[in-house]
Amino acid sequence: MSDTTERAAVSGREAGAVLPAAPDLLRAALVDARSPRAPELSSYVPERPFPWNALATANTGEPGTAIDLDRVLRLSLAAPAGTPGRLRPVPSAGALHPVRAHLLVGPGCSLPPGRYAYDPRTHRAHRRGPAPDGVPPGALAVLTLAASRTVAHYGHRAWPLLLLDTGHAAAALALAGATTADVLVSLDADGSLLSAAAGLPGAPDWQDFWPGTEPELPLAAVRLTPPGSPVEAESPLGAWAALPRASDPTPQPGADTTPPRELAAARHLLHRLAEARGRPDGTWHPAPRLGELTDDALLARRSAPPEDLNRPPEKELLTRILATAERVLPEGPAWTVALGGATPALHAAAPGRPGLDVRAVGDARPTLAHWAAGQHWIGTAGAVLLAHGCPQDAPGTIVRSNHLAAGYAAGVAQAHATALGLSSRPIGSWQQADLGAALGDTPGRDWIVHGLALGAPSTTVATPATTAVTAAVTSASTPITPPTPSAAPAAPPGEEERP
């Protein structure tokens, strides 16, 4: 991590003060996460044992079951074989893996009906309770966040990374399920409803019910139903939420201590972002189906080393990947791609026709490297796909949807890139990355939220990447002005913040 050595020791402040109201807290937190302030150093938080250690159930069931959860979980959330330190093919911020999956299983699946907690290291589901009577066929996965390790590592920059990683996890589940099941994804269901459906207490009451355990904050859900089965107008979350809470997690030393103020603020913020008063059941979108995507491609997804990303992909492939990112969710952020090569430029999808339009000419990549926690390798990446939006005064619904949708769409785009033979690497941390202002638009309205570096394989004949000599994209009127060198400390290759 780039700024570890520059951070001051945390002062031991604890969460005793009253937290500000949600809009003020959100505005301040968004400004702080986007500022050049380096995270403070805190004590290392080790990975704790999996807390849901009830009876483990193998993920295989009756032959001919409609939904093979063993396959879906193996291709999405299971720890890859031979990589004990990396829980998923695409790691969370700092490879801390804060996202957990609670499975709500009905008939027609390779697990008996009931509530389960999934352990990705052992690839086993731990049964936590029964299913409600009359629940429809299929399964729901409620994705929750255990935030302490990520906040300890990244401080005030952690909560956007946690949202992005939840989106990536939802994409992994959706893509793995969509080849054999009908899949719907919700990134805006009410957090309290998701907690109750998963058999968990709400975050504010967690320690009262389960002292000595770490709270989990739910933010997304993925629903899998047998192909061709009717889908009810409302999701079955309410039926699951009507059940009593499921089995307790195992208390763990240190998990019940009063959290530092930064962790308390992050949990409070994420809990408030998860509130959805208008549509508690959420908006459910069909998962994309990518014709090129195979099981092998899903297993092959990896965050490529920076040296594998410095060859520009062909524009036709970039056009397809950009189109994939744009169509995943209608309420998501906007998408642009910075391309290197002999004629570097910033491109957007051409409206109403195939291909790319030039938004600005010149080399944006060195400026992106400054903005992305000083990760200098981005300056020579073949291309960088950018999600942008989320104004500085955005309400919580927009902040939540833009970050979750950016992670979700980037996860889908990365899988598509893998299927097309491209290398890729997500870029999660962005400071002072006001793309709109850099291009001459109104400041504070169009910020970079997420990125995905892309590179052509070494066997591809591609134009050599231009030398990174320009720190800005130049358009006919307005150049991108890079931040000062102190805005983002340099990051060693492979240690940057990323989901």
Side-chain angles (χ1 to χ4, degrees), residues 22-36:
D24 292 337
L25 173 64
L26 175 59
R27 243 176 250 115
L30 198 57
V31 169
D32 204 18
R34 291 168 169 173
S35 77

Side-chain angles (χ1 to χ4, degrees), residues 118-341:
Y118 175 65
D119 183 353
R121 292 205 181 278
T122 62
H123 187 47
R124 288 293 181 268
H126 294 253
R127 186 175 176 85
R128 298 186 54 232
D133 293 336
V135 68
L140 277 160
V142 174
L143 299 177
T144 66
L145 287 170
S148 63
R149 297 189 74 214
T150 304
V151 174
H153 200 56
Y154 293 111
H156 62 286
R157 295 178 183 173
W159 66 269
L161 298 170
L162 289 162
L163 293 172
L164 292 174
D165 191 55
T166 305
H168 274 268
L173 273 170
L175 291 172
T179 56
T180 56
D182 293 330
V183 180
L184 297 172
V185 178
S186 176
L187 304 179
D188 62 353
D190 180 68
S192 297
L193 178 62
L194 292 173
S195 287
L200 308 171
D205 305 318
W206 186 289
Q207 293 290 354
D208 294 334
F209 288 105
W210 292 339
T213 62
E214 181 175 5
E216 297 183 25
L217 300 101
L219 277 159
V222 178
R223 184 181 182 188
L224 298 89
T225 56
S229 62
V231 178
E232 301 81 3
E234 294 185 359
S235 77
L237 285 170
W240 287 97
L243 294 177
R245 277 192 312 277
S247 64
D248 301 359
T250 302
Q252 297 169 343
D256 61 344
T257 57
T258 303
R261 181 176 176 81
E262 213 156 56
L263 176 57
R267 286 176 176 164
H268 176 73
L269 177 65
L270 291 167
H271 171 67
R272 296 303 299 264
L273 287 175
E275 292 181 329
R277 297 180 180 88
R279 285 181 54 87
D281 277 329
T283 309
W284 294 81
H285 300 281
R289 295 179 182 270
L290 305 177
E292 303 91 342
L293 198 59
T294 63
D295 289 4
D296 288 342
L298 287 171
L299 289 173
R301 286 172 302 144
R302 289 291 184 276
S303 287
E307 59 269 20
D308 289 348
L309 295 164
N310 58 10
R311 288 168 292 276
E314 297 176 4
K315 283 189 178 180
E316 190 272 334
L317 297 182
L318 281 181
T319 300
R320 293 168 66 181
I321 294 169
L322 180 60
T324 293
E326 287 191 320
R327 67 172 175 257
V328 166
L329 286 174
E331 73 271 26
W335 291 87
T336 301
V337 62
L339 179 62

Side-chain angles (χ1 to χ4, degrees), residues 385-434:
L385 189 67
L386 301 169
H388 50 96
C390 198
Q392 60 188 10
D393 58 352
T397 52
I398 298 299
V399 174
R400 177 187 179 183
S401 67
N402 271 205
H403 284 82
L404 288 174
Y408 180 71
V412 174
Q414 184 175 33
H416 194 188
T418 302
L420 295 175
L422 302 181
S423 301
S424 58
R425 188 181 189 93
I427 308 165
S429 185
W430 296 90
Q431 286 78 51
Q432 297 184 303
D434 190 342

Side-chain angles (χ1 to χ4, degrees), residues 315 345-348 356-361:
K315 283 189 178 180
L346 201 64
H347 295 271
L356 299 173
D357 274 352
V358 175
R359 185 174 180 187
V361 297

